[in-house]
């Protein structure tokens, strides 16, 4: 109560921080008259002037007011758009490395031009991250006019671009692209074999558009580059057949809330009977057990047209937040194969991870990061905790006139759908545009079929791609328009009341190129203006939500489609007790209250709204814990990844031979020092010592029985290795550049093979480490300890393998072994594909204490032995 009084008296922290920035906004405005006096050439020349001032010691903060005023003037001259004061405010917040929450229609795209231009002056590059390729291309072309007009270069990273085009785009001052493309390029760069093939040039500053979608919604999906593993897929069909013959609650249980399915004792016996196995949990049956568990999940935790769809005999993942298809992305750990078996389509081979990174760790590499969205405040704690980003809510340019009505709650789903159809019919009959938001493809198609029977013309937008999506959403504000869309669809595209005349004119021009664009545009402007007046009289855009999402942000994103730039509008959600959120996370008290008071009546009350919000908060907290759990484990891997990629970078940019000699010296020193430490070495110790030097360095002493002089032996060994190594290359008379290229390739090839095996072992370790909880140990701490030991062994193994291989190498003028490695590497590169790894919270029951590891695969303990040799016999 005291807190509320203090806020009312002094303003909230957000309001106080915003107020502190007002003098800087006024300072930007003070430069406006001087900018108006400049010619176009003089305005463009400001970029050169700013860069010279930076070279003399001025900071970006010093240049901010004048640079922002320059962009404001350029935007007005080139695009006819002038930044509002709230956009200047947003630009300052973005430049300072924070998140700016700006309501829909407030011009986030134009706001970003201010900090992008200012930070691009440093010459280190700026990334602008968008949510899809269409927006990346659109914004690079649209806002790129401002940057090019001021003398900066602009590029875009699109999915179809090749390596050469990507390098050119990354070399620009400003680069637009999606989070996926930037992340995958980072991984691909760390798999390349030549420095001149690298695309990216460092991580200076990034602005993330729709920052909540990228850094929160997609944070549970690590970016993975994978290649095909040599494993049989037939067992997934076999597992699918078995699961279809099992009975729920008798042979298996399903918990939707915790998102896991598991076999009962009876189910295990039934599976053993059907498969004719004595013990399903025997080490030799681990693979089929894994297939059975994934098949169980595929059948009872993943729904067709909700989590995935089948198109052209392919199982394609559907983004649960946007309803968009995600082609090329595959669930990992055999889940995608289980879904393919379930749907009766061809099973693709399982993938092996070659490189991966989470969005959290990728974006934390930037020296400065900022973002903008219409909905971030509800996740402010997570942004601060994970990314160290503060969140500021900006005021709107015009007062918000939208009415957010209380939810309507119904007892059954049928009653809810009947009420939604009635509402659509009533609103659209007057000509008022209606946007209906659903959370899944399945429900949007079901609703579409229902309203067709009532003769209501409408457009359905679900799992479609970018240009079509933008065009549909842009015209959703036309008189009488009814649009059914999955939640959040159309991010980055404003719904303009009355319609978008430019989009309408371009659509006609595509149909008939002989038409005159200017005439079309003038005609549509007149039509859209008339329609806008009528729509405003009817109360603006009406938003109908068919279900509450698990996150309040997604609901707010849907609400934000209405009430743009002070326009009127109305939003209302229709819910049923059978909805997933209500069923799984609604409090028993709420359900009892609704059941007693509802019958066939609708309930509308603030108490119910608060209870639903509480359920959403519960789900948000749960999802945050899941994302944090993934990050805790990936932080361990990230340290290893950073160290390994640094080594790779050094090998790309320095002499491979220098590295070889350096590692030879280190290994030799360790070997010799360990032997010298022995007070009374036995004959066996002495023999092992000389054998190890021979195996590693091809070094043999004149007299094995002589007393070892540490310094003399080190010097003689290194001199001997260098002379012999350089001599075998000189004899071939191969150009130095070719030799250096061969050496570098061999080193990189070898460390990549070791890293690939290490990642597989880390996957096995992570999969089985949860069992440590049964021994009253913290699985994360045990994972850290085991992975630390495994990584140290990896780095030692890398050094030894590089030294041993290059010293033993017998090069020829046409070295077929190296050519074979190159061909193998090329085959791997062709088979590489991007896979999205959707982590699922799941609990597993084991009869044995080991993780699921095939007998011929490396053991999870990191010993380097095969599983059957190490733990498989226990």
């Amino acid at each position: 109560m005291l807190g509320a009084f203090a806020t009312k008296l002094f303003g909230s922290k957000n309001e106080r921080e915003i107020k502190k920035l007002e003098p800087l906004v006024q300072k930007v405005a003070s430069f406006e008259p001087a900018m108006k006096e400049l010619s176009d050439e003089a305005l463009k020349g400001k970029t050169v002037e700013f860069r010279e001032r930076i070279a003399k010691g001025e900071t970006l903060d010093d240049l901010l007011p004048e640079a922002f005023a320059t962009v404001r003037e350029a935007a007005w001259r080139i695009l006819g758009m002038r930044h509002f004061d709230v956009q200047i405010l947003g630009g300052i917040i973005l430049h300072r490395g924070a998140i700016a929450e700006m309501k829909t229609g407030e011009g986030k795209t134009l706001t970003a031009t201010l900090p992008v231009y200012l930070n691009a002056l440093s010459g280190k590059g700026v990334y602008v991250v968008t949510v899809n390729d269409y927006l990346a291309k659109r914004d690079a072309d649209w806002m790129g006019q401002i940057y090019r007009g001021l003398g900066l270069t602009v590029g875009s990273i699109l999915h179809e671009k090749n390596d050469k085009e990507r390098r050119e785009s990354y070399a620009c001052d400003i680069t637009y692209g999606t989070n996926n493309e930037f992340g995958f390029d980072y991984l691909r760069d760390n798999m390349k074999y030549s420095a001149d093939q690298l695309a990216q040039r460092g991580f200076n500053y990034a602005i993330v558009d729709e920052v909540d979608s990228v850094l929160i919604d997609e944070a549970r999906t690590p970016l993975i580059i994978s290649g095909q593993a040599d494993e049989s897929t037939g067992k997934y069909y076999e597992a699918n057949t078995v699961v279809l013959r099992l009975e729920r609650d008798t042979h298996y249980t399903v918990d939707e809330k915790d998102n896991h399915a598991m076999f009962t004792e009876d189910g295990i016996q039934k599976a053993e009977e059907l498969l004719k196995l004595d013990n399903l949990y025997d080490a030799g049956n681990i693979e089929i057990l894994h297939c059975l568990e994934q098949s169980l999940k595929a059948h009872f935790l993943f729904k067709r047209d909700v989590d995935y769809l089948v198109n052209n005999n392919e199982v394609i993942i559907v983004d649960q937040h946007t309803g968009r298809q995600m082609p090329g992305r595959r669930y990992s750990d055999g889940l995608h194969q289980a879904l393919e078996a379930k749907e009766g389509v061809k099973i693709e081979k399982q993938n092996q991870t070659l490189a991966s990174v989470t969005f959290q760790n990728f974006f934390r590499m930037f020296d400065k990061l900022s973002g903008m969205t219409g909905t971030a405040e509800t996740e402010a704690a997570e942004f601060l905790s994970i990314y160290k980003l503060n969140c500021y809510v900006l005021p709107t340019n015009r007062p918000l006139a939208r009415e957010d009505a209380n939810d309507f709650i119904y007892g059954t789903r049928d009653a809810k759908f009947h009420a939604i159809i009635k509402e659509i019919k009533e609103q659209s009959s007057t000509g008022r545009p209606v946007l209906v938001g659903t959370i899944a493809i399945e429900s949007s198609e079901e609703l579409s079929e229902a309203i067709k029977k009532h003769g209501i013309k409408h457009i359905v937008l679900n799992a479609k791609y970018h240009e079509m999506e933008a065009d549909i959403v842009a015209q959703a504000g036309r008189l009488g328009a009814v649009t059914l869309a999955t939640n959040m669809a159309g991010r980055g595209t404003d719904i303009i009341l009355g319609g978008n005349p430019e989009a309408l004119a371009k659509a006609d021009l595509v149909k008939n190129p002989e038409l005159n664009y200017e005439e079309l545009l003038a005609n549509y402007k007149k039509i859209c203006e008339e329609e806008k007046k009528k729509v405003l009289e009817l109360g603006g855009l009406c938003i109908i939500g068919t279900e509450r999402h698990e996150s309040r942000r997604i609901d707010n994103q849907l609400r934000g489609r209405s009430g743009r730039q002070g326009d009127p509008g109305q939003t209302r959600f229709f819910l049923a007790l059978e909805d997933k959120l209500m069923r799984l996370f609604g409090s028993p008290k709420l359900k009892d209250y609704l059941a007693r008071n509802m019958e066939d009546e609708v309930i509308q009350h603030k108490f119910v709204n608060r209870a639903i919000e509480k359920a959403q908060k519960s789900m948000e907290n749960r999802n945050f814990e899941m994302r944090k759990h993934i990050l805790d484990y990936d932080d361990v891997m990230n340290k290893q990844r950073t160290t390994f990629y640094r080594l790779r970078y050094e090998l790309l940019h320095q002499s491979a031979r220098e590295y070889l000699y350096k590692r030879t010296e280190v290994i030799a020193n360790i070997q010799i020092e360990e032997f010298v430490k022995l007070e009374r070495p036995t004959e066996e110790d002495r023999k092992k010592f000389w054998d190890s030097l021979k195996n590693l360095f091809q070094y043999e002493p004149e007299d094995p029985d002589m007393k070892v002089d540490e310094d003399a032996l080190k010097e003689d060994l290194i001199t001997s290795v260098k002379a012999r190594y350089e001599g075998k290359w000189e004899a071939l008379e191969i150009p130095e550049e070719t030799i250096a290229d061969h050496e570098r390739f061999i080193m990189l090839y070898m460390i990549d093979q070791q890293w690939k095996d290490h990642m597989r072992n880390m996957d096995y370790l992570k999969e089985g480490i949860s069992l440590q909880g049964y021994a009253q140990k913290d699985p994360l701490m045990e994972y850290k300890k085991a992975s630390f030991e495994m990584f140290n062994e990896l780095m030692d193994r890398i050094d030894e393998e590089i030294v041993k291989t290059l010293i033993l190498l017998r090069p020829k003028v046409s070295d077929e072994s190296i050519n074979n490695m190159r061909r193998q590497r090329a085959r791997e590169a062709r088979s590489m594909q991007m896979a999205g790894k959707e982590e699922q919270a799941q609990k597993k029951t084991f009869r044995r204490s080991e993780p699921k590891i095939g007998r011929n695969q490396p053991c999870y303990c990191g010993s380097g032995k095969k599983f059957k040799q190490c733990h498989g016999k226990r």
Side-chain angles (χ1 to χ4, degrees):
M1 191 172 176
L2 284 172
F5 176 74
T7 300
K8 192 173 181 181
L9 187 63
F10 301 109
S12 65
K13 183 184 176 185
N14 181 79
E15 290 168 343
R16 294 196 300 273
E17 292 296 324
I18 295 294
K19 198 168 184 179
K20 286 179 187 175
L21 299 177
E22 287 178 2
L24 195 51
V25 175
Q26 298 307 315
K27 194 170 182 182
V28 173
S30 70
F31 281 98
E32 196 165 6
M35 293 298 167
K36 288 185 181 296
E37 297 297 320
L38 297 175
S39 65
D40 289 351
E41 274 305 310
L43 191 66
K44 186 175 182 178
K46 295 297 288 183
T47 299
V48 177
E49 178 196 322
F50 291 145
R51 284 183 161 166
E52 288 172 353
R53 286 163 63 179
I54 289 171
K56 289 176 182 176
E58 285 194 55
T59 66
L60 295 182
D61 288 344
D62 296 332
L63 297 175
L64 186 148
E66 198 171 347
F68 276 25
T70 302
V71 178
R72 187 186 232 179
E73 181 61 26
W76 175 248
R77 293 187 191 186
I78 296 168
L79 299 179
M81 303 169 78
R82 179 182 176 277
H83 296 78
F84 302 129
D85 283 354
V86 291
Q87 290 173 313
I88 299 290
L89 196 61
I92 295 168
I93 288 167
L94 292 173
H95 167 66
R96 293 187 173 184
I99 293 172
E101 179 177 310
M102 301 175 70
K103 299 300 179 191
T104 301
E106 292 296 308
K108 292 188 286 292
T109 307
L110 185 63
T111 300
T113 57
L114 300 163
V116 166
Y117 172 76
L118 177 61
N119 285 270
L121 293 172
S122 67
K124 296 177 183 177
V126 174
Y127 292 175
V128 184
V129 186
T130 65
V131 290
N132 58 49
D133 272 2
Y134 164 70
L135 291 176
K137 185 177 185 304
R138 184 202 73 176
D139 292 353
D141 293 340
W142 184 23
M143 295 296 127
Q145 297 175 69
I146 299 173
Y147 307 129
R148 294 184 189 100
L150 290 171
L152 297 179
T153 54
V154 184
S156 59
I157 304 296
L158 307 177
H159 183 68
E160 64 271 12
K161 286 197 171 184
N162 59 35
D163 278 1
K164 183 174 179 292
E165 292 168 327
R166 285 170 186 267
R167 282 194 291 275
E168 290 169 356
S169 292
Y170 280 117
C172 292
D173 294 309
I174 299 151
T175 308
Y176 282 83
T178 65
N179 50 322
N180 287 333
E181 292 302 324
F182 286 136
F184 280 126
D185 280 342
Y186 163 71
L187 294 176
R188 281 190 285 258
D189 270 2
N190 284 289
M191 299 176 74
K192 289 179 178 171
Y193 278 62
S194 172
D196 57 15
Q197 292 177 346
L198 300 180
Q200 294 180 335
R201 58 163 178 163
F203 304 100
N204 171 45
Y205 176 49
I207 292 183
V208 184
D209 192 11
E210 305 299 354
V211 67
D212 54 328
S213 174
V214 174
L215 299 188
I216 301 290
D217 296 333
E218 298 198 40
R220 283 170 55 193
T221 311
L223 294 174
I224 295 175
I225 289 182
S226 59
Q228 288 186 350
D230 298 326
E231 292 183 13
S232 169
T233 56
K235 288 187 177 177
Y236 287 100
Y237 288 122
E238 195 176 357
N240 188 66
T241 306
V242 170
V243 167
L244 288 172
R245 297 178 67 179
L246 303 180
E247 295 177 14
R248 186 165 181 161
D249 296 329
T250 302
H251 297 128
Y252 60 87
T253 59
V254 178
D255 187 333
E256 284 186 82
K257 187 171 181 177
D258 284 338
N259 204 38
H260 71 252
M262 64 173 65
F263 290 102
T264 62
E265 290 294 325
D266 289 342
I268 293 163
Q269 289 175 12
K270 181 72 173 176
E272 288 171 343
E273 180 187 316
L274 293 171
L275 292 167
K276 296 182 172 56
L277 297 174
D278 293 329
N279 181 7
L280 188 58
Y281 284 81
D282 184 82
N285 299 325
I286 289 295
E287 192 177 344
I288 187 64
L289 171 62
H290 177 65
C291 295
L292 283 167
E293 289 178 335
Q294 296 300 69
S295 185
L296 200 64
K297 284 174 62 181
H299 275 278
F300 305 111
L301 295 178
F302 287 77
K303 283 188 175 182
R304 182 170 175 165
D305 291 336
V306 177
D307 300 294
Y308 67 93
L309 52 83
V310 179
N311 192 6
N312 294 327
N313 287 322
E314 273 188 87
V315 172
I316 299 173
I317 298 173
V318 172
D319 188 325
Q320 62 172 322
H321 298 291
T322 64
R324 296 190 184 106
Q325 294 182 32
M326 302 169 79
R329 304 280 284 272
R330 291 176 66 81
Y331 292 118
S332 68
D333 204 27
L335 178 57
H336 212 94
Q337 285 76 10
L339 289 169
E340 287 166 334
K342 171 188 172 183
E343 297 298 339
V345 301
K346 182 188 174 186
I347 297 180
E348 300 295 335
K349 283 195 174 181
Q350 194 163 333
N351 294 325
Q352 177 185 339
T353 301
L354 303 178
S356 77
V357 67
T358 59
F359 281 122
Q360 291 108 319
N361 277 319
F362 174 69
F363 281 107
R364 291 196 300 187
M365 289 192 297
F366 283 87
D367 296 333
K368 185 163 71 174
L369 178 67
S370 63
M372 49 192 182
T373 181
T375 48
E377 193 180 16
T378 55
E379 310 292 348
E382 182 167 352
F383 281 122
L384 188 60
S385 169
I386 304 296
Y387 303 100
K388 303 296 183 283
L389 291 174
N390 287 305
C391 181
Y392 297 95
V393 181
L394 271 66
T396 54
N397 186 49
R398 294 177 184 169
L400 188 67
R402 187 184 70 231
E403 178 199 350
D404 295 328
N406 287 331
D407 298 349
F408 278 170
I409 319 286
Y410 294 86
T412 65
R413 200 163 174 270
D414 288 342
K416 178 184 78 170
F417 266 79
H418 180 73
I420 289 170
I421 294 164
K422 184 181 177 185
E423 182 75 7
I424 294 170
K425 198 171 183 179
E426 284 178 6
Q427 296 289 351
S428 62
S429 64
T430 66
R432 188 178 191 181
V434 178
L435 175 65
V436 184
T438 66
I439 69 167
I441 300 168
E442 183 183 48
S443 51
S444 67
E445 290 180 347
E446 184 183 345
L447 186 57
S448 174
E449 289 299 317
I451 64 175
K452 268 182 192 174
K453 295 173 184 175
H454 290 77
I456 301 170
K457 290 185 179 180
H458 63 281
I459 295 176
V460 180
L461 174 58
N462 61 30
K464 303 293 182 185
Y465 267 123
H466 314 311
E467 284 88 347
M468 184 185 296
E469 175 183 298
D471 290 343
I472 292 171
V473 174
Q475 307 307 333
R478 294 202 70 185
L479 195 68
V482 177
T483 310
L484 270 62
T486 48
N487 278 358
M488 273 181 30
R491 270 191 184 267
T493 307
D494 285 337
I495 297 176
I496 302 172
L497 298 186
N500 187 323
E502 288 84 0
L504 291 168
K506 285 175 184 174
D508 280 3
L509 207 61
V510 169
K511 294 174 188 173
N512 187 355
E514 295 178 4
L515 294 172
N516 184 291
Y517 175 74
E518 295 301 328
E519 288 179 7
L520 286 171
L521 183 60
N523 184 44
Y524 275 122
K525 276 184 177 178
K526 188 178 178 182
I527 293 170
C528 290
E529 195 58 42
E530 288 174 1
E531 286 193 13
K532 182 178 181 179
K533 289 177 184 175
K534 292 177 182 176
V535 171
L536 288 171
E537 288 171 7
L538 292 167
L541 179 66
C542 176
I543 300 283
I544 296 174
T546 60
E547 195 170 332
R548 284 280 196 168
H549 200 275
E550 63 186 33
S551 169
R552 288 169 293 163
R553 279 183 307 101
I554 313 304
D555 293 341
N556 292 338
Q557 182 71 28
L558 179 62
R559 288 190 193 278
R561 313 315 306 176
S562 180
R564 172 187 177 275
Q565 280 291 323
D567 290 339
Q570 184 188 28
T571 69
R572 189 188 300 278
F573 280 83
F574 289 72
L575 312 180
L577 286 179
E578 295 172 359
D579 290 346
K580 185 177 178 180
L581 180 74
M582 300 290 289
R583 191 162 40 85
L584 300 181
F585 295 95
S587 69
K589 187 178 177 183
L590 172 64
K591 291 177 184 176
D592 290 343
Y593 171 80
L594 293 173
R596 283 196 311 271
N597 293 280
M598 187 169 282
E599 296 180 359
D600 294 328
E601 298 294 323
V602 61
I603 291 288
Q604 179 188 192
H605 200 282
K606 285 183 180 180
F607 157 72
V608 176
N609 280 45
R610 286 196 297 270
I612 292 166
E613 189 172 319
K614 190 175 179 183
Q616 286 179 305
K617 283 181 181 177
S618 170
M619 190 64 177
E620 287 167 3
N621 291 335
R622 184 173 175 272
N623 287 337
F624 173 49
E625 288 303 319
M626 289 172 68
R627 288 190 291 267
K628 196 167 184 309
H629 177 76
I630 293 168
L631 185 60
D632 287 340
Y633 280 86
D634 192 65
D635 277 343
V636 178
M637 191 66 197
N638 192 54
K639 289 173 185 173
Q640 299 182 8
R641 183 191 302 116
T642 305
T643 304
F644 178 78
Y645 285 170
R646 192 184 300 122
L647 167 61
R648 238 186 154 277
Y649 185 84
E650 287 174 7
L651 290 175
L652 280 174
H653 290 86
Q654 73 173 41
S655 163
R657 191 170 298 185
E658 263 182 46
Y659 182 82
L660 170 66
Y661 291 157
K662 192 191 303 179
R663 301 325 295 169
T664 299
E665 196 169 333
V666 169
I667 295 170
N669 287 345
I670 292 169
Q671 296 274 358
I672 294 168
E673 285 168 10
E674 283 184 357
F675 179 75
V676 171
K677 281 178 188 175
L678 297 174
E679 291 182 8
R680 294 179 181 177
T682 63
E683 193 62 35
E684 188 180 351
D685 292 333
R686 187 176 290 276
K687 185 177 183 304
K688 281 183 180 178
F689 172 64
W690 292 119
D691 283 348
S692 69
L693 295 188
K694 183 181 179 181
N695 290 335
L696 280 169
F697 311 112
Q698 291 293 289
Y699 179 81
E700 295 185 68
E702 293 179 7
D703 179 11
D705 296 323
M706 69 178 183
K707 185 180 178 183
V708 174
D709 182 326
E710 186 175 344
D711 294 333
L713 179 56
K714 286 178 184 177
E715 186 178 343
D716 187 53
L717 187 148
I718 298 301
T719 303
S720 170
V721 166
K722 286 182 178 179
R724 192 166 56 254
Y725 182 76
E726 289 173 8
K728 66 184 176 184
W729 285 109
E730 286 169 5
L732 296 175
E733 298 181 355
I734 300 174
E736 282 294 325
E737 287 183 8
T738 306
I739 295 172
D741 183 46
H742 274 24
E743 289 171 333
R744 184 178 296 108
F745 180 84
I746 291 167
M747 284 188 180
L748 290 170
Y749 179 86
M750 295 195 67
I751 71 171
D752 282 351
Q753 293 301 106
Q754 295 286 349
W755 178 247
K756 190 164 68 174
D757 290 343
H758 177 69
M759 290 197 72
R760 184 172 63 237
N761 290 338
M762 288 290 284
D763 282 343
Y764 295 145
L765 173 66
K766 186 176 176 182
E767 189 175 329
I769 204 70
S770 60
L771 297 172
Q772 295 287 348
Y774 295 116
Q776 304 301 313
K777 295 179 180 178
D778 180 356
L780 180 60
M781 289 306 298
E782 296 303 311
Y783 178 75
K784 287 179 179 179
K785 288 176 189 174
S787 62
F788 178 73
E789 291 174 10
M790 288 167 64
F791 186 68
N792 283 341
E793 289 173 11
L794 167 74
M795 298 308 285
D796 291 343
R797 200 161 56 245
I798 282 173
D799 285 347
E800 288 187 14
E801 288 295 320
I802 285 175
V803 169
K804 188 176 177 181
T805 302
L806 281 171
I807 288 175
L808 293 176
L809 181 72
R810 295 180 181 177
K812 300 174 184 176
V813 175
S814 174
D815 201 316
E816 191 57 30
S817 63
I818 295 174
N819 291 334
N820 284 337
M821 282 194 285
R822 289 185 187 278
R823 282 193 287 271
Q824 184 180 335
R825 179 63 189 155
R827 283 195 298 271
E828 286 178 357
R830 283 195 296 272
S831 71
M832 279 193 303
Q833 55 182 300
M834 293 170 286
K837 192 172 186 180
E838 187 71 25
E839 297 285 347
Q840 299 292 336
Q842 53 185 307
K843 295 179 182 176
K844 299 179 182 178
T845 304
F846 294 93
R847 287 183 179 179
R848 295 166 46 82
S849 60
E850 280 83 25
K852 296 179 292 187
I853 298 178
R855 289 171 61 78
N856 289 314
Q857 292 173 326
C859 187
Y860 63 88
C861 71
S863 65
K865 298 178 183 178
K866 290 181 179 178
F867 177 74
K868 66 180 181 182
Q869 296 168 337
C870 191
H871 287 68
K873 294 179 181 178
R874 288 206 310 228

